Amino acid sequence: MLNYLLRRLALVIPTLFGIMLINFIIVQAAPGGPVEQAIARLQGQTSQNGTLGGGGSEAGSSAASRATSDALYRGAQGLNPELVAEIKKHYGFDQPPARRFWIMIKHYAHFDFGTSFYKDESVTRLMLDKMPVSISLGLWSTLLIYLISIPLGIRKAVRHGTPFDHWSSTLIIIGNAIPGFLFAIVLIVLFAGGSYWQWFPMQGLVSSHFASLSPWHKVLDYLHHIILPVFCMTIGGFAGLTMLTKNSFLDEINKQYVLTARSKGLSEHQVLYRHIFRNAMLIVIAGIPATLLGVFFTSSLLIEVIFNLDGMGLLSFESAVNRDYPVIFGMLFMFTLLGLLLKIISDLTYTLVDPRIDFENRS
């Protein structure tokens, strides 16, 4: 097992490098980078002041909306070439793409992600500041998803074909069909002062006077704020895991070793949790890394926007819109690295659940 883990860890580096390279090429090919946006802002300012040289205000405003083949707005023609060169140098675009990528990779090897173009803060500091919000939402929603889905999936498998299975499947289908952000809007309208009751706060993770509260009231205030967003994320995530658990148990229930265990006089509880559970949970465990990453950093994007929660999802969206490359690639590096490591942890969990699995002999 040790050799297998060492090989998997060694593969993390080339995999991470390849993912960063592909995304770097894609991002560089997209128009509207930080240099172009800076030039467009300058052109807008000079157009409003009536000081645009050569093309006039009308030419400047139209130039800000079109990119030339060399990825610079036509409005750059009305700016001092030395100023354009200074803008390129400021954002590091005075170097060819290959050199910029190599410099970025060398810095990332030391977990130095640079400084945000637009927030003028360390990317690491930005991610650390936003992470508590996303982790809070992710931990609570993931915990609730598993606490609901696994027992419900097992019960549906045991009572397959009964009225309980039918009406619970109907609720699961409805929950899976309605997006989490739509639930968020409905809950805000109903319970957050939208049109009816003001039972829950509409924004923020804690109240403005949180620091002055007692420890017990801080806990209550925190829970009061996260109930609605966590509920919305849970609704969107439990349906798939519930059906996966049910199908896994149904597949194991009909196997020969279950019939043998029952013929020995074991109770249904013993058969279910001592024999079936270990095998049926393997496929559920395999999805833990994707579930964690998805809930922590992807599923929370619209929820953070709707409830005005300043977390990682909102940060990634803003950085993509603003072409804030240091933040984009810094978050991509950390998410990819975390995903690869979680996949290795998932393999270790396989062996803990079922010691018969030997990845080293299989490879």
Side-chain angles (χ1 to χ4, degrees), residues 145-184:
I145 286 172
Y146 275 86
L147 287 178
I148 295 173
S149 299
I150 294 178
L152 180 59
I154 295 174
R155 187 166 182 82
K156 285 175 64 62
V158 173
R159 302 185 63 179
H160 178 64
T162 64
F164 170 81
D165 183 38
H166 294 320
W167 67 256
S168 60
S169 295
T170 302
L171 294 178
I172 289 173
I173 292 172
I174 294 174
N176 192 43
I178 302 178
F181 70 88
L182 187 57
F183 271 113

Side-chain angles (χ1 to χ4, degrees), residues 101-114 333:
F101 177 74
W102 179 244
I103 292 174
M104 182 185 73
I105 290 298
K106 287 197 299 183
H107 289 167
Y108 281 16
H110 300 89
F111 292 92
D112 177 13
F113 304 123
F333 181 89

Side-chain angles (χ1 to χ4, degrees), residues 4-47:
Y4 172 78
L5 289 178
L6 292 177
R7 288 196 300 269
R8 288 294 303 273
L9 290 173
L11 285 174
V12 168
I13 297 176
T15 304
L16 189 59
F17 180 86
I19 292 174
M20 296 297 295
L21 177 61
I22 293 172
N23 283 272
F24 183 84
I25 295 173
I26 293 174
V27 170
Q28 296 302 309
V35 175
E36 294 92 324
Q37 293 192 18
I39 291 175
R41 286 195 298 269
L42 287 175
Q43 280 299 94
Q45 294 173 1
T46 54
S47 297

